[in-house]
Amino acid sequence: MPVRRQLMGEMLQEMGAVTAEQLAAALEEQQESGEKLGRILVSRGVLTEQRLMETLELITGIPRVQISKIYIDPEVVKIISPDLIRMHKALPILKSNNSLTLAMSDPTNQQAINDVRMASGFDVIPVLASEKELDIAIRQFLAFSPDPGVEKILEDLNQEYQNSVTVKKNLPSIKIDQNAPVIRIVNAILRQAVQGRSSDIHIEPREEDARVRFRIDGELYEVFTLPDFVLSALVSRLKIMAGMDIAEKRIPQDGSFHLQIEKRDIDFRVSTLPTNYGEKIVLRILDRANSLTRIDQLGLSPGNQEKLISLSRRPHGIILVTGPTGSGKTTSLYSVLNEINSVDKNIITLEDPIEYSLAGINQVQINPKAGLTFASGLRSILRQDPDIIMVGEIRDKETAGLAVQAALTGHLVLSTLHTNSAAGTIARLSNIGIENFLLAAALAGVISQRLVRKICPNCAQPYKLAEENAIRLGIPEETNQEFFHATGCNMCRQLGYLGRIALHEIMVAGPEIRTLISRGENLEDFYENVAVSAGMITIKNDGVMKARRGITSLEEVMKAIRMY
């Protein structure tokens, strides 16, 4: 029997958890949205998730569990299909004889219970679980577990292969109807990668088969393998979607496409590469909802956030973001653009490729084949009366020189550069061929960053760092040398990490830095010492501070530091 929403509201009011006004406003919103009353009260900040769980347990008489604190056998999760798990937000957590314990955010949902009973053949025992914990656990468990439906699709593909092909690896033309097995398997891979928070999909041919790997929080994980006869059809299908030439297999190709998955707008950038066993294909996943962030969502320390906001509000000068590929440089640039975007500013970007559309900003896609390069595009932009210019990347002397000239003539210029540290940027620009007196006048500041995995807050365990290890790692001796270990739990699927955060160092070009640049000093340590004296926090120290706060682990910080 479903929970009567008004009854829950009355009980919450009697308990003093909500006021009559808060309840009336939530019920009015429920009439419009159809959302659960409890969810509305939590989203409005009236109730905590914990208080909601306590109330539901009291009303329904159904016990609650804390998913993050119990062990869940992955084989138990596989008893019902991923689609059923996602549809009802219901996770199998325990099998005992003929019964299956099912964690649910709404354990009174009789339709869900009946569906699971029919699909599994077990008697179902519902228990109450936090919707937030369920969302995280479902994503983690299903990220590395191929949909059982994939096996059926592979059977269909095998049958199609046996009926239509006599020569190995010479599959027939791809069917275009949505029920074609290869289309279904591609859709399954894309959907699973998005649901598992993957940033990249790698489909790699091997001698006997092809493996599919997902990059999650910067690490690659093998999800499943595919028979070798599937690869050619799968690559062809992805090429069609990305607008590539399916007949050309000898040279690398690039393309892109857009899909809506779970009501989220997802862009895919596709790259193919010929290898000795066939074409390897990599898809970069760009989730618009998760990538357009504000400066205060970048994970900056309070001091660094203040510096970045101050730099972004300068009327002119050049601001550079540095770091390796995949360190979040573009995300940082977009965050700055969002901060300074307004109707009285003419903002133009040059990008290769344009990753996300920014409202109110003029974005230009580089096209070298047509003669539109960063350098030629920058020349054209300067004739468009810009206030702010973003150049996706400085790759050569010509682009660097034009960017510096634009900064000197009253424009704010944002760009990226591949250097190992903020201080190393000056020597890099000097080596490219930028005159020191021009650079000294134009440079506003440099942001260097690295991405590290965030330690799972649910299973992080504190420990004391031994004095000898602190000395070995160059960590200043302090009275509190407490850090955190990643141990693993259901929330992070025993990985110990969940999500990523950036480590930063921000070097503001003050008078002393400018003087050194004018003198032609090219020693990286020289600039770093001066910048630290002026208040710069190095990436290492920023990481150590975040490790002390339990945001990441010391191991992740040291791994990022060793990168440079």
Side-chain angles (χ1 to χ4, degrees):
M1 192 70 176
V3 176
R4 190 165 61 89
R5 308 303 180 192
Q6 184 64 35
L7 174 61
M8 186 174 80
E10 290 170 355
M11 184 169 286
L12 286 168
Q13 193 175 345
E14 288 172 9
M15 294 165 62
V18 298
T19 65
E21 293 77 15
Q22 290 170 332
L23 179 59
L27 287 169
E28 184 178 342
E29 181 178 332
Q30 187 191 33
Q31 287 293 323
E32 295 177 3
S33 66
E35 182 64 86
K36 297 175 184 176
L37 179 61
R39 289 290 97 215
I40 293 171
L41 291 169
V42 170
S43 66
R44 283 171 167 256
V46 176
L47 278 185
T48 63
E49 187 88 21
Q50 176 72 12
R51 192 65 180 272
L52 175 62
M53 291 295 101
E54 290 171 357
T55 307
L56 286 172
E57 183 179 25
L58 188 63
I59 292 173
T60 63
I62 296 173
R64 58 191 169 100
V65 295
Q66 193 171 350
I67 292 179
S68 58
K69 300 297 184 185
I70 60 175
Y71 172 73
I72 301 174
D73 185 346
E75 294 303 314
V76 172
V77 176
K78 294 177 183 177
I79 289 175
I80 62 174
S81 72
D83 284 343
L84 200 57
I85 290 173
R86 294 185 184 107
M87 181 171 65
H88 292 306
K89 201 166 289 186
L91 187 71
I93 60 173
L94 180 67
K95 179 172 74 73
S96 178
N97 297 325
N98 293 323
S99 65
L100 184 68
T101 302
L102 195 66
M104 308 172 68
S105 59
D106 181 5
T108 63
N109 185 339
Q110 198 59 48
Q111 181 62 53
I113 293 171
N114 290 338
D115 287 349
V116 172
R117 181 184 295 117
M118 290 290 291
S120 66
F122 289 93
D123 292 330
V124 175
I125 302 172
V127 292
L128 180 64
S130 155
E131 188 168 351
K132 182 179 179 181
E133 282 198 0
L134 269 174
D135 284 338
I136 295 172
I138 288 170
R139 278 203 307 269
Q140 296 304 316
F141 273 103
L142 300 189
F144 303 101
S145 303
D147 191 323
V150 168
E151 294 182 9
K152 177 62 171 68
I153 299 171
L154 287 174
E155 288 178 12
D156 293 345
L157 267 174
N158 188 38
Q159 187 61 46
E160 181 178 298
Y161 174 78
Q162 296 298 332
N163 292 341
S164 307
V165 183
T166 56
V167 181
K168 194 175 183 180
K169 295 185 180 178
N170 183 28
L171 279 176
S173 299
I174 304 300
K175 297 178 183 177
I176 59 172
D177 64 277
Q178 291 302 309
N179 291 321
V182 70
I183 292 179
R184 287 188 284 136
I185 201 167
V186 166
N187 292 343
I189 291 171
L190 299 180
R191 183 177 65 249
Q192 185 173 337
V194 170
Q195 291 167 341
R197 300 183 305 106
S198 308
S199 62
D200 301 87
I201 304 169
H202 290 242
I203 302 170
E204 303 165 319
R206 299 189 291 195
E207 187 174 5
E208 299 294 336
D209 57 21
R211 70 176 173 181
V212 179
R213 295 192 292 172
F214 293 167
R215 189 177 293 280
I216 301 174
D217 295 336
E219 302 289 323
L220 276 172
Y221 299 94
E222 185 169 329
V223 182
F224 50 86
T225 59
L226 298 171
D228 59 351
F229 67 81
V230 173
L231 181 67
S232 178
L234 189 146
V235 171
S236 293
R237 171 58 184 166
L238 286 168
K239 281 184 173 182
I240 290 170
M241 295 173 73
M244 299 179 185
D245 182 356
I246 64 170
E248 181 55 77
K249 301 180 181 180
R250 300 165 299 173
I251 60 174
Q253 295 187 68
D254 294 298
S256 63
F257 62 90
H258 168 83
L259 286 179
Q260 194 170 68
I261 297 177
E262 293 187 335
K263 298 181 180 179
R264 291 154 60 189
D265 289 319
I266 310 293
D267 293 316
F268 294 88
R269 289 212 316 256
V270 187
S271 171
T272 66
L273 183 70
T275 73
N276 56 334
Y277 293 121
E279 287 183 283
K280 170 180 165 61
I281 191 159
V282 174
L283 297 91
R284 168 64 56 89
I285 302 171
L286 303 169
D287 187 343
R288 298 180 187 179
N290 293 336
S291 297
L292 300 180
T293 58
R294 303 189 307 270
I295 285 180
D296 60 6
Q297 296 173 320
L298 291 176
L300 292 154
S301 65
N304 280 338
Q305 181 173 315
E306 186 178 326
K307 286 179 184 177
L308 183 55
I309 291 173
S310 176
L311 283 172
S312 70
R313 290 176 179 168
R314 294 198 177 194
H316 55 80
I318 184 167
I319 301 170
L320 296 170
V321 182
T322 74
T325 301
S327 60
K329 298 188 295 296
T330 302
T331 298
S332 294
L333 284 178
Y334 279 4
S335 299
V336 172
L337 290 177
N338 278 333
E339 176 74 20
I340 58 183
N341 187 16
S342 62
V343 293
D344 62 334
K345 296 283 194 304
N346 179 20
I347 303 176
I348 307 177
T349 72
L350 278 172
E351 303 177 59
D352 184 25
I354 296 173
E355 293 195 4
Y356 301 100
S357 296
L358 301 173
I361 293 177
N362 306 284
Q363 295 173 267
V364 180
Q365 168 70 55
I366 293 301
N367 187 355
K369 290 181 180 179
L372 180 55
T373 63
F374 280 118
S376 65
L378 192 46
R379 283 196 193 89
S380 299
I381 282 176
L382 290 172
R383 296 192 288 270
Q384 290 284 316
D385 186 32
D387 297 297
I388 299 159
I389 301 168
M390 186 191 95
V391 181
E393 184 182 347
I394 290 177
R395 298 174 179 173
D396 52 44
K397 179 181 178 180
E398 187 178 12
T399 306
L402 288 167
V404 168
Q405 287 295 335
L408 290 172
T409 52
H411 306 91
L412 182 64
V413 180
L414 311 172
S415 191
T416 69
L417 193 68
H418 286 286
T419 61
N420 290 330
S421 66
T425 302
I426 296 166
R428 173 80 177 116
L429 288 170
S430 181
N431 291 336
I432 284 177
I434 302 302
E435 296 286 350
N436 293 322
F437 71 94
L438 294 176
L439 182 58
L443 187 66
V446 182
I447 302 103
S448 184
Q449 64 184 61
R450 300 289 186 279
L451 284 178
V452 294
R453 291 183 294 173
K454 291 166 65 177
I455 200 164
C456 175
N458 183 65
C459 61
Q461 294 294 321
Y463 71 96
K464 291 285 185 180
L465 184 67
E467 183 179 346
E468 60 270 22
N469 289 336
I471 294 170
R472 180 175 58 84
L473 296 172
I475 296 174
E477 185 177 351
E478 296 182 12
T479 53
N480 179 19
Q481 290 282 45
E482 186 175 84
F483 293 89
F484 292 82
H485 278 305
T487 56
C489 65
N490 289 327
M491 295 280 282
C492 58
R493 205 181 182 275
Q494 311 305 320
L495 297 175
Y497 296 95
L498 198 60
R500 288 195 290 177
I501 193 169
L503 310 181
H504 305 88
E505 63 183 18
I506 300 181
M507 183 180 75
V508 178
E512 289 183 87
I513 294 288
R514 294 182 189 280
T515 301
L516 288 174
I517 295 173
S518 297
R519 288 177 186 168
E521 298 286 356
N522 279 337
L523 292 176
E524 186 174 327
D525 291 344
F526 220 179
Y527 288 106
E528 184 166 298
N529 291 337
V530 171
V532 169
S533 299
M536 183 182 85
I537 300 170
T538 65
I539 280 185
K540 179 179 179 180
N541 288 339
D542 187 47
V544 169
M545 286 190 292
K546 285 171 179 171
R548 279 210 171 94
R549 289 164 56 197
I551 296 173
T552 187
S553 68
L554 197 55
E555 290 79 7
E556 278 291 297
V557 174
M558 292 303 124
K559 185 170 70 173
I561 300 308
R562 282 196 295 271
M563 290 174 62
Y564 76 105

